[in-house]
C-alpha cells in the first residue's frame, strides 16, 4: 500500500502563472500589486480593520508584540497548549508568559481561567483559535475592557472561521481582537509555503503597524505620495513578503471557496464515519461550541489516555498512514518550566497526551478517508 501522508500542499494551478507575472512586471520586492490584491481581498471578505501580509504567522505575532509595546516584565496570558510562536513573540520582548489551561471540551483557552491570572502587570491576552474554532471572544473582550488589556488573536489556523457573539452578529475570527495573526504555512488551509498576515482592528495601531512592517520607516506613506521623503520613524523590522510569495498566495485566495468546500466534505466524512466508534471507545471527536463555526482546518481525536493514543499512532503508521500528535504543554517545556509558577494545567496535559491528528488535505480522497477509518475500527474496538 502507498503511504498516506499527513499533509500535502495543494496547488490550484495558477501559482506559477502569477509568480511569472510578478517576475515579468519587474517588481518582486514587497508591497506591490499582488500584496495589495491579497490584502484588499482579505480585508473586504472578513471585515478586518487593516491587513498587512507577513512572511509568517510567527512574524505577525512578533509584529503584534512590538506594536502593543511589550516591555520587560509585562505579563501575557496564553494557553499552554499551543505552538511555540505564540509565546516566543512576547518572550523576545522580555515578557513573562502566564499560562492558562484549555477548556474541558476543546483545546482552546478556558475563558473562565483567565481572570484569576490577571495582575497589574498583565498587558495582553492571546487566545488561540485551535483547529480554527473560536474561543469565547465575548468573555475575553469583556475582560480586556475591564482590565485595559490588548487581545491578540492567534488565528494561525482560523482563516474562514467565525464567531457569533451575544449580539447575534457573526464575525470573522481575527476581526474581533485588537490584533490577529494568521498563517499561510503549507500545513494550513490557504498556503504560500511560508507566509502570514497581521490583521489590525484597533485604529490607533494602524499607522504604527505599517511603519514597523517597513523597517521603522514611513516608506508606505511615501509610496502613496503622502510624504515627500521617507524617514526613520520608530523601531521596526522587515516583515513584508516578496511579491513572489504574494503572487502564490493570490492563486490560493482566488480558490478559497473551492478549497473550503473540499475540506468541509472531508471533515464531514471523517466525522460521520467515526461518530459511533468514538462514542463506544471513549474517544472525543472535535466539538464546536454554539458560538463557533468549523473551518475544516484539521480533524483530530482526543483519546481516552496516552496508551490508546500510542496504539492508534503506531497502528496507523504501521499501515503507512501518517497520523501525528502535536503540542507539548509549554508550561512543561525545557525552556519555560522553571519560569512557570507550578500551577497544574490538567486539560493542557490531557491534550498533550491524547490528541491525534488524522491526515487532512485537499487531495485526500473520500475513499482514503474510509480506508483510514476502517483501520481505526480494526485498531480500537
Ligand atoms: C501554524 C501556527 C503558528 C505559526 O505559523 P507560521 O506561519 O508557521 O509562523 C502559530 N500559531 C499556531 C496556533 C499555529 O498553528
Amino acid at each position: 500500500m502507498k503511504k498516506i501522508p499527513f499533509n500535502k500542499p495543494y496547488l490550484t494551478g495558477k501559482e506559477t502563472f502569477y509568480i511569472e507575472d510578478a517576475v515579468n512586471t519587474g517588481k518582486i520586492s514587497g508591497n506591490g500589486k499582488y500584496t495589495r490584491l491579497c490584502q484588499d481581498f482579505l480585508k473586504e471578505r472578513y471585515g478586518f480593520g487593516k491587513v498587512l501580509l507577513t512572511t509568517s504567522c510567527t512574524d505577525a505575532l512578533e509584529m503584534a508584540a512590538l506594536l502593543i509595546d511589550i516591555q520587560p516584565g509585562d505579563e501575557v496570558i496564553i494557553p499552554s497548549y499551543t505552538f511555540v510562536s505564540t509565546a516566543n513573540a512576547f518572550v523576545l520582548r522580555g515578557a513573562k508568559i502566564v499560562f492558562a489551561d484549555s477548556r474541558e471540551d476543546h483545546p482552546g483557552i478556558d475563558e473562565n481561567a483567565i481572570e484569576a491570572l490577571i495582575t497589574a502587570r498583565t498587558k495582553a491576552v492571546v487566545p488561540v483559535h485551535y483547529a480554527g474554532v473560536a474561543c469565547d471572544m465575548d468573555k475575553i473582550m469583556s475582560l480586556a475592557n475591564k482590565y485595559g488589556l490588548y487581545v491578540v488573536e492567534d488565528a494561525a489556523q482560523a482563516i474562514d472561521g467565525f464567531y457569533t457573539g451575544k449580539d447575534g452578529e457573526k464575525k470573522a475570527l481575527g476581526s474581533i481582537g485588537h490584533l490577529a495573526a494568521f498563517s499561510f504555512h503549507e500545513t494550513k488551509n490557504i498556503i504560500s509555503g511560508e507566509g502570514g498576515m497581521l490583521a489590525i482592528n484597533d485604529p490607533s495601531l494602524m499607522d504604527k503597524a505599517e511603519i514597523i512592517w517597513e523597517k521603522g520607516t514611513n516608506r508606505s506613506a511615501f509610496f502613496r505620495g503622502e510624504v515627500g521623503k521617507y524617514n526613520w520613524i520608530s523601531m521596526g523590522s522587515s516583515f513584508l513578503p516578496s511579491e513572489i510569495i504574494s503572487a502564490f498566495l493570490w492563486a490560493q485566495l482566488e480558490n478559497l471557496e473551492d478549497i473550503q468546500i473540499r475540506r468541509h466534505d472531508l471533515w464531514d466524512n471523517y466525522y460521520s464515519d467515526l461518530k459511533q466508534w468514538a462514542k463506544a471507545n471513549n474517544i472525543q471527536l472535535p466539538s464546536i461550541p454554539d458560538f463557533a463555526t468549523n473551518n475544516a482546518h484539521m480533524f483530530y481525536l482526543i483519546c481516552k489516555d496516552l496508551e490508546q493514543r500510542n496504539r492508534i499512532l503506531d497502528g496507523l503508521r504501521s499501515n503507512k498512514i501518517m497520523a501525528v500528535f502535536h503540542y507539548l504543554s509549554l508550561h512543561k517545556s525545557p525552556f519555560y518550566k522553571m519560569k512557570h509558577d507550578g500551577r497544574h494545567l490538567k486539560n493542557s496535559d490531557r491534550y498533550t497526551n491524547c490528541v491525534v491528528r488524522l491526515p487532512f488535505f485537499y487531495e485526500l480522497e473520500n475513499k482514503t478517508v474510509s480506508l483510514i477509518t476502517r483501520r481505526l475500527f480494526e485498531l480500537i474496538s
Side-chain angles (χ1 to χ4, degrees), residues 56-58 82-83 85-86 128 154 156-157 183 185 188 195 327:
S56 65
C57 177
T58 301
T82 184
F83 190 58
S85 295
T86 322
V128 179
D154 181 337
Q157 306 174 1
S183 175
H185 185 264
K188 307 300 203 269
Y327 299 159

Side-chain angles (χ1 to χ4, degrees), residues 232-288:
W232 189 17
I233 305 290
S234 81
M235 98 177 138
S237 190
S238 181
F239 291 111
L240 66 174
S242 90
E243 279 289 288
I244 294 171
I245 301 281
S246 304
F248 188 113
L249 183 63
W250 180 241
Q252 295 268 315
L253 291 175
E254 272 192 338
N255 284 273
L256 188 142
E257 276 170 33
D258 170 61
I259 290 170
Q260 287 300 90
I261 287 168
R262 179 71 204 116
R263 295 183 73 99
H264 276 284
D265 186 45
L266 272 175
W267 201 97
D268 293 344
N269 268 295
Y270 266 128
Y271 195 88
S272 58
D273 276 13
L274 293 176
K275 207 169 145 195
Q276 279 187 328
W277 166 83
K279 199 163 172 212
N281 292 288
N282 288 315
I283 292 168
Q284 242 177 286
L285 296 187
S287 86
I288 319 276

Side-chain angles (χ1 to χ4, degrees), residues 53 69 74 78 91-92 98 121 124 137 139 143 164 193 214 243 315 343 362 374 380-381:
L53 293 189
D69 200 26
D74 286 348
I78 75 169
V91 168
L92 280 165
V98 178
R121 310 222 58 168
M137 294 307 289
K139 176 80 198 226
L143 286 172
T164 305
E214 272 278 27
E243 279 289 288
R343 274 173 301 114
Y362 185 100
R374 279 202 306 277
I380 308 283
S381 59

Side-chain angles (χ1 to χ4, degrees), residues 163-303:
Y163 171 80
T164 305
K166 289 189 197 76
D167 62 5
E169 209 188 317
K170 188 171 170 183
K171 297 195 191 95
L173 297 184
S175 72
I176 304 165
H178 302 86
L179 297 165
F182 287 83
S183 175
F184 303 120
H185 185 264
E186 71 169 27
T187 51
K188 307 300 203 269
N189 293 30
I190 300 293
I191 63 174
S192 61
E194 303 281 352
M197 72 163 161
L198 183 70
I200 304 113
N201 302 312
D202 178 342
S204 72
L205 297 174
M206 288 178 185
D207 290 346
K208 196 175 161 194
E210 207 173 61
I211 290 163
I212 288 174
W213 190 58
E214 272 278 27
K215 300 105 185 160
T217 73
N218 55 350
R219 187 157 136 173
S220 302
F222 170 73
F223 283 130
R224 286 194 300 267
E226 292 165 16
V227 291
K229 47 175 160 287
Y230 77 84
N231 217 325
W232 189 17
I233 305 290
S234 81
M235 98 177 138
S237 190
S238 181
F239 291 111
L240 66 174
S242 90
E243 279 289 288
I244 294 171
I245 301 281
S246 304
F248 188 113
L249 183 63
W250 180 241
Q252 295 268 315
L253 291 175
E254 272 192 338
N255 284 273
L256 188 142
E257 276 170 33
D258 170 61
I259 290 170
Q260 287 300 90
I261 287 168
R262 179 71 204 116
R263 295 183 73 99
H264 276 284
D265 186 45
L266 272 175
W267 201 97
D268 293 344
N269 268 295
Y270 266 128
Y271 195 88
S272 58
D273 276 13
L274 293 176
K275 207 169 145 195
Q276 279 187 328
W277 166 83
K279 199 163 172 212
N281 292 288
N282 288 315
I283 292 168
Q284 242 177 286
L285 296 187
S287 86
I288 319 276
D290 289 342
F291 53 67
T293 60
N294 173 24
N295 77 339
H297 171 57
M298 67 163 99
F299 198 91
Y300 65 94
L301 312 172
I302 305 168
C303 297

